[in-house]
Amino acid sequence: MAQTDDFPLDTLEHLEQAEKLKLEGKYNEALAILETLLLEDPANISALEEVADNELSLHHFDRAEAAASEAVALDQGSYTGFYILGFLRSHEEKWTEAIGLLRKANVLQPNCGEILRCLGWALFSEGQRAQGIVTLERALNLDPENTLTLCDLGLAYLQSRHFVKAKTLFLRSLDIEPGNLRARECLQALERMVNASQPLGQQTL
């Protein structure tokens, strides 16, 4: 998020309230506050970044892109804006564009687990598998209990046929979040791959 030190106290209070609502999953309520702020100050970078983040959570990708694009147009230091644009390009599987945007976000905000997670997956998907795995490992070191990172890294190892490492990561994800559907689906995919690759009677991991 952009620096908020120069904002009036009431603006800061509204931004904090919007952040609280976002963390509670009340995205539309947060957006109502943020849109009021933008009516008063259309160049409020923090409000634009938060609008983009909330719209992303609601899967309103066009709106998220519009707000993130405006944020980076107004401030080339908006790491949140670059991250959201990179995330959207990854969602479209435009890996080269995603990598460029996520690298900008990473330069502006180093050692952010979420930026590195998305960058690592984009690198891996684009064909830079070793660099992608290293980057995902860095993301996991920064946030060891992030189930999204655990599953992404597990999938990278699964696709690289490192089955034991993949299984360990998927099981760790389920230890943290037993109801994690994605981790269960990943484990099922792992079992299918192992069974398909081993002779009959040796299909265990």
Side-chain angles (χ1 to χ4, degrees), residues 111-187:
N111 300 317
C112 171
E114 177 60 15
I115 291 172
L116 288 170
R117 178 184 78 82
C118 291
L119 177 57
W121 185 251
L123 287 164
F124 184 86
S125 300
E126 195 255 351
Q128 302 180 54
R129 290 196 160 198
Q131 190 174 354
I133 286 174
V134 168
T135 305
L136 285 165
E137 290 279 12
R138 282 180 58 206
L140 189 61
N141 287 336
L142 289 164
D143 190 359
E145 297 198 347
N146 188 311
T147 56
L148 290 172
T149 307
L150 285 164
C151 285
D152 281 355
L153 183 57
L155 281 169
Y157 278 126
L158 177 61
Q159 292 183 34
S160 302
R161 306 189 73 78
H162 294 297
F163 296 143
V164 174
K165 287 183 178 180
K167 184 176 183 180
T168 299
L169 291 160
F170 298 146
L171 289 175
R172 275 179 60 191
S173 182
L174 285 171
D175 283 343
I176 295 164
E177 188 182 336
N180 189 310
L181 181 60
R182 185 180 181 216
R184 292 192 180 281
E185 290 173 346
C186 288
L187 271 175

Side-chain angles (χ1 to χ4, degrees), residues 82-97:
F82 282 117
Y83 157 72
I84 289 174
L85 291 173
F87 179 94
L88 290 168
R89 295 294 83 77
S90 289
H91 181 74
E92 297 165 353
E93 299 186 2
K94 295 178 179 177
W95 304 118
T96 302
E97 289 181 48

Side-chain angles (χ1 to χ4, degrees), residues 158 161-164 166-167 186-200 202-205:
L158 177 61
R161 306 189 73 78
H162 294 297
F163 296 143
V164 174
K167 184 176 183 180
C186 288
L187 271 175
Q188 291 169 2
L190 169 64
E191 289 168 4
R192 288 194 297 270
M193 284 188 70
V194 170
N195 287 338
S197 65
Q198 291 185 354
L200 195 63
Q202 299 178 17
Q203 299 167 338
T204 59
L205 184 62

Side-chain angles (χ1 to χ4, degrees), residues 13-141:
E13 288 174 350
H14 283 116
L15 285 169
E16 288 170 1
Q17 179 63 15
E19 178 71 12
K20 181 174 180 290
L21 289 166
K22 182 182 74 173
L23 293 174
E24 293 172 356
K26 298 175 181 177
Y27 305 117
N28 286 311
E29 292 177 42
L31 283 166
I33 293 172
L34 295 165
E35 286 163 3
T36 300
L37 288 176
L38 287 170
L39 283 173
E40 298 169 359
D41 178 12
N44 185 325
I45 307 300
S46 292
L48 283 166
E49 291 173 340
E50 287 298 306
V51 166
D53 201 12
N54 279 278
E55 296 287 16
L56 190 65
S57 296
L58 290 167
H59 294 176
H60 297 162
F61 297 138
D62 288 345
R63 293 180 184 178
E65 174 148 12
S69 295
E70 183 68 13
V72 299
L74 291 167
D75 180 6
Q76 284 290 297
S78 173
Y79 73 86
T80 300
F82 282 117
Y83 157 72
I84 289 174
L85 291 173
F87 179 94
L88 290 168
R89 295 294 83 77
S90 289
H91 181 74
E92 297 165 353
E93 299 186 2
K94 295 178 179 177
W95 304 118
T96 302
E97 289 181 48
I99 290 165
L101 291 160
L102 292 166
R103 279 181 167 154
K104 285 183 181 179
N106 184 51
V107 168
L108 293 166
Q109 184 72 9
N111 300 317
C112 171
E114 177 60 15
I115 291 172
L116 288 170
R117 178 184 78 82
C118 291
L119 177 57
W121 185 251
L123 287 164
F124 184 86
S125 300
E126 195 255 351
Q128 302 180 54
R129 290 196 160 198
Q131 190 174 354
I133 286 174
V134 168
T135 305
L136 285 165
E137 290 279 12
R138 282 180 58 206
L140 189 61
N141 287 336

